[in-house]
Amino acid sequence: MRGRKKVRATGRRAYSDSSGAVKPKHENVIRASDLGTDTEIKADVCVIGTGAGGAPVAKELAEGGMRVVMLEEGDYFTTDDMSARHADMIISLYRELGQVATVGKPLILLPLGRAVGGTTIINSGTCFRTPASLFDSWRRKFGISDIDSDVMGPFFRRVERELNVTQTPADIAGKNSTVIKRGADKLGLSGDYIYRNVRGCIGSGVCTAGCPTSAKQHTAATYVPKAWDAGAITYTGCLARHIVVDRGRARAVVADAGGARLTVRAENVIVSAGTVHSPVLLKRNGIGYQSGQLGQNLSVHPAMAMRALFDEEINMHEGVPQSYYIDEYASEGIMFEGAAIPPGLAAAPLPYFGVRHRALMEHFPNLSQFGIMVSDTSRGHVRDIRGNPLIRYDLNERDLATFKKALTILTEIYWAAGAKAVYTGLPSVPELRAGEMAPLLDLDLKAEDLILTAFHPLGTCRMGTSWHNSVVDQSLNVHGVEGLYVSDGSVVPSSLGVNPQMTIMALATRLAYHLLSKRPPTDEPEPESMPDPIVRPV
Amino acid sequence: MNYDSLSNSEVAVFTALVESICAPEPVYPPVSQTAAVDYFDRYLQASPAINRLGFKLILHIVEYAPLVVRPGRRFSRLEPIKRVDFILRWSESRLRPLRVVFELMKGIVFMAYYGDDSVLKACGYDPDANIERARTLRRKEGRP
């Protein structure tokens, strides 16, 4: 019937259906080291990076008729390379084997991907749109008025359709989520099963080691092969070093290509090297520094997990690792999300060592783990030290207090769920028994007591209204350089309070439409449902 | 056995660390029957050069610190109970950088040992079965 809006299913059947998986006609991948000699090629667009920021814009531009070259520092891995062993895959897929860390109080590990697909290949596949309330905050605080929920809606719908963003069904979510939901429901806390970019997920439990069933719809399984089918080429093992700017316009990218040099002559260059590396690349080339914001404004969503011991078997390595969230306190900057892991990773964050630790590991089947993510008000920066990033970040008192509150709440959730013991992750209060709260409540928590990880670095090439206050404008164009854009988490001007990959991909898609002078898509189906937590305003 | 990154003495220190930190006993296999040292060697080989140097330095400090802090033997030659005592004092050091280094080293030790296939299976996780299930599904459904 004319005028009826198309609706895209987001329920169980859509989650489990693998039939729409992308199978490229050919893999347009060239290992840069195979070039052997200095090489110069021409393109319409050079995209540096193939993660959440680079791959969507590359695909849209290639399908729009542009000649697209993608440069990727890491290697190309297929599903056949995934071993379901975290210890192995950390060596293959993670930048610096997961050893990237911030300097500050406390030290924070920052796991980043380094492969075709970027961090999307190692993330948990959690999907949230930019919370609608945050656009209002950005308008008030940063003057960003060109984007809001209505403007971004068509791009979110397009990304969600491309990646089949659907809700985790309860029966694949895993027992780890069951026990948390039980506790949350008992306390009347708002939450739901997580929406994820998957086709045919069966809950293999190893998302962060690379999906072995080709279910996770990361960019190397979706946007990149579609870009190839539209004629784009990806060079791997290729480190972009120099952005040639001439007469105020980007003209070329020069990259290290395994001993040789690869020059891509293109009048449109899109930097998608990620929040940590994009500002370093720009700084090294003397670009984007005028506002003083380049490398500044780093937010990371600091996170930690707690564990609990139950009488019942949980077997948290079975099922979707990150399948449930609790957003009751999102407006206070606290998001709880599932963080189940297999034993190879579960050992390290447990307290103790030696015989006492081994006794805990012998109860691995009865252990649960759940995560705390704080929408940080702390801000750090990334400095360029001879082409390498130094990441400085200190947790401020406000975020520290937020962590203390979150630890208390999650402990209460675990007691409500029936846990026998809770392992806080704090060296000073490693274990709580039988409903205990006092040792945690009485703790004078210090930043250095926390053992944190962070998965969502944002903000270091932030978007804004003028070169006085930002690195890129609202079209992601680097101020003062025609044809040069940044498309990755570094443009997001504040902590989001939710996982950022949808925001990054939707902004990337919008950039592509802008470069193609195309109107936003009008025929993308509306999802049956999509979460919209109320997060803390900026 | 020859390793790409580890010297014989570094192997001895790392093995001693794994034995002390993981305390394997049946159900779990002894360190010598796992690929924990192999894994650490691979891990070091793939690490950035400065990080590799850092890890090796930590191993050497661990090995010789018991001679300085409490006169005795090198770490790898201490009796197991004295190794545990040394590690406990390291983990509870008043100096924050030492505690941070301990946590990092502990993390890698646990990953090397508990990432071994035989240990994973003893914990109830079989990666080969996971992969086989995945491959069967991909074949059956024609997934990429």
Side-chain angles (χ1 to χ4, degrees), chain B residues 26-109:
Chain B
V27 162
Y28 299 127
V31 180
S32 57
Q33 288 179 19
T34 71
V37 177
D38 291 347
Y39 177 76
F40 186 54
D41 185 60
R42 265 197 301 137
Y43 187 87
L44 281 191
Q45 186 66 11
S47 288
I50 191 161
N51 294 14
R52 184 162 59 245
L53 260 164
F55 284 122
K56 283 168 161 278
L57 186 62
I58 292 169
L59 289 178
H60 285 275
I61 292 172
V62 167
E63 175 74 332
Y64 292 103
L67 289 171
V68 173
V69 172
R70 181 171 289 175
R73 293 166 159 176
R74 288 154 56 167
F75 178 81
S76 60
R77 296 179 189 178
L78 285 172
E79 291 131 40
I81 196 166
K82 289 195 172 159
R83 283 188 210 157
V84 170
D85 179 54
F86 173 79
I87 291 172
L88 185 63
R89 283 185 292 133
W90 178 16
S91 72
E92 294 175 346
S93 169
R94 281 176 303 173
L95 296 171
R96 181 174 166 252
L98 284 183
R99 295 197 309 273
V100 169
V101 168
F102 171 73
E103 289 295 329
L104 287 172
M105 206 63 217
K106 190 183 80 160
I108 289 163
V109 163

Side-chain angles (χ1 to χ4, degrees), chain A residues 16 18 21-23 79-80 82-88 90-91 96-99 104-107 109 199-202 204-206 212-215 317-318 342-345 347-348 350-355 357-358 361-362 364-365 427 448 451, chain B residues 19-28 39 42-44 46-48 51-52 55 83-84 87-88 91 96 99-100 102-104 106-108 110-112 114-115 117 119-120 123-128 130-131 133-135 137-138 141-144:
Chain A
S16 303
S18 68
V22 177
K23 293 173 200 173
T79 304
D80 290 337
M82 307 307 167
S83 70
R85 293 166 172 83
H86 277 82
D88 286 346
I90 277 170
I91 294 177
E96 294 180 16
L97 286 73
Q99 295 166 27
K105 270 190 188 170
L107 181 146
L109 283 176
R199 289 185 197 276
C201 171
I202 59 167
S204 300
V206 288
T213 62
S214 301
H317 57 284
E318 295 171 358
L345 288 186
L350 284 174
Y352 319 128
F353 68 91
V355 173
H357 178 277
R358 193 200 68 230
M361 281 302 293
E362 284 170 4
F364 176 79
E448 48 263 47
I451 298 171
Chain B
E19 283 169 351
S20 308
I21 290 175
C22 299
E25 251 182 47
V27 162
Y28 299 127
Y39 177 76
R42 265 197 301 137
Y43 187 87
L44 281 191
S47 288
N51 294 14
R52 184 162 59 245
F55 284 122
R83 283 188 210 157
V84 170
I87 291 172
L88 185 63
S91 72
R96 181 174 166 252
R99 295 197 309 273
V100 169
F102 171 73
E103 289 295 329
L104 287 172
K106 190 183 80 160
I108 289 163
F110 278 137
M111 192 161 66
Y114 282 99
D117 277 10
V119 181
L120 285 171
C123 292
Y125 173 62
D126 185 347
D128 286 333
N130 202 349
I131 289 294
R133 187 171 57 240
R135 285 193 182 140
L137 185 66
R138 287 169 64 205
E141 295 186 4
R143 296 187 185 199

Side-chain angles (χ1 to χ4, degrees), chain A residues 118 145 242 250:
Chain A
S145 55
H242 186 42

Side-chain angles (χ1 to χ4, degrees), chain A residues 176-186 193 324 326 413:
Chain A
N176 190 55
S177 288
T178 304
V179 298
I180 277 291
K181 185 178 185 310
R182 184 168 71 211
D185 286 349
K186 213 166 177 183
Y193 290 100
Y324 197 80
I326 297 167
I413 292 171

Side-chain angles (χ1 to χ4, degrees), chain A residues 253-317:
Chain A
V253 176
V254 183
D256 286 345
R261 192 162 61 182
L262 174 64
T263 302
V264 182
R265 299 226 165 265
E267 304 242 314
N268 291 287
V269 173
I270 299 170
V271 177
S272 304
T275 297
V276 171
H277 292 85
S278 286
V280 170
L281 180 60
L282 293 182
K283 171 82 172 24
R284 191 188 160 102
N285 284 274
I287 296 170
Y289 62 90
Q290 290 86 346
S291 63
Q293 290 299 315
L294 186 64
Q296 302 296 313
N297 195 46
L298 172 70
S299 63
V300 297
H301 282 167
M304 64 182 293
M306 297 178 83
R307 291 108 214 139
L309 183 68
F310 287 80
D311 281 327
E312 66 204 273
E313 280 203 353
I314 311 280
N315 291 314
M316 62 167 161
H317 57 284

